[in-house]
Amino acid sequence: MAHTTENLMARLEEACTLDGYLAELKASGKQAPATLAAYLDTLLAAQPLTRPEVIREAGLNATFGYQVFQGTRRITRNNALLLSRALGCTLTQTQRLLALANQGRLTPQDPRDAVVIWCIRHGLSCQRTDEELYRRGMGTLSPAR
């Protein structure tokens, strides 16, 4: 069975003891990375892309991008969303990335967030996401050039 958040939540709710669940989680090796850098490495490992390709697709400065992957630089919400799009993250993965970056989660009540959520759900690239935002008169994820 896949270790999705939903499946793990169901297993936690069904667990006889908390210690038993935590031992099972540790044994499975499916504990979530505790830092943004570790999570980015996990996401990158599941992609055919290289780190430089992801940084380039996200439109980040190369030095800054490497520092983010190394955990030595903090990122803005927009940069986190750009990395999410460049890595092809799902909405769940994007929300986790935002949480680890100490940025606000996406919420469908916010029109701009709703556009980003829609773009994520439809697998749109960084550029296409920016085009959707721009077309609606909303701030893009990428800085104006």
Side-chain angles (χ1 to χ4, degrees):
M1 175 172 11
H3 291 307
T4 64
T5 300
E6 294 81 16
N7 288 340
L8 291 174
M9 183 61 77
R11 288 167 66 185
L12 175 58
E13 290 172 354
E14 294 168 1
C16 295
T17 67
L18 179 58
D19 289 336
Y21 172 80
L22 293 175
E24 180 185 338
L25 183 65
K26 184 175 183 179
S28 73
K30 296 297 181 185
Q31 292 174 292
T35 66
L36 177 61
Y39 192 55
L40 289 172
D41 283 342
T42 299
L43 293 170
L44 184 63
Q47 296 295 319
L49 302 172
T50 65
R51 188 177 290 175
E53 289 170 330
V54 169
I55 292 169
R56 188 172 31 258
E57 171 64 22
L60 301 179
N61 170 281
T63 301
F64 175 77
Y66 277 100
Q67 291 169 338
V68 170
F69 271 91
Q70 292 169 347
T72 60
R73 289 291 295 268
R74 292 179 46 103
I75 57 174
T76 64
R77 189 168 193 256
N78 282 345
N79 284 341
L81 291 168
L82 286 166
L83 281 172
S84 162
R85 298 312 322 122
L87 287 162
C89 292
T90 65
L91 182 58
T92 300
Q93 291 169 329
T94 299
Q95 299 288 36
R96 176 86 177 130
L97 193 155
L98 288 168
L100 289 170
N102 294 315
Q103 301 297 331
R105 295 174 55 88
L106 293 168
T107 175
Q109 292 89 348
D110 178 276
R112 183 175 185 263
D113 283 2
V115 172
V116 174
I117 290 168
W118 190 89
C119 291
I120 290 167
R121 293 274 189 193
H122 290 84
L124 300 187
S125 67
C126 296
Q127 181 178 344
R128 288 289 320 274
T129 300
D130 273 348
E131 288 170 3
E132 288 296 328
L133 289 165
Y134 181 81
R135 192 164 63 88
R136 289 168 173 76
M138 299 175 179
T140 59
L141 300 177
S142 302
R145 300 192 196 282

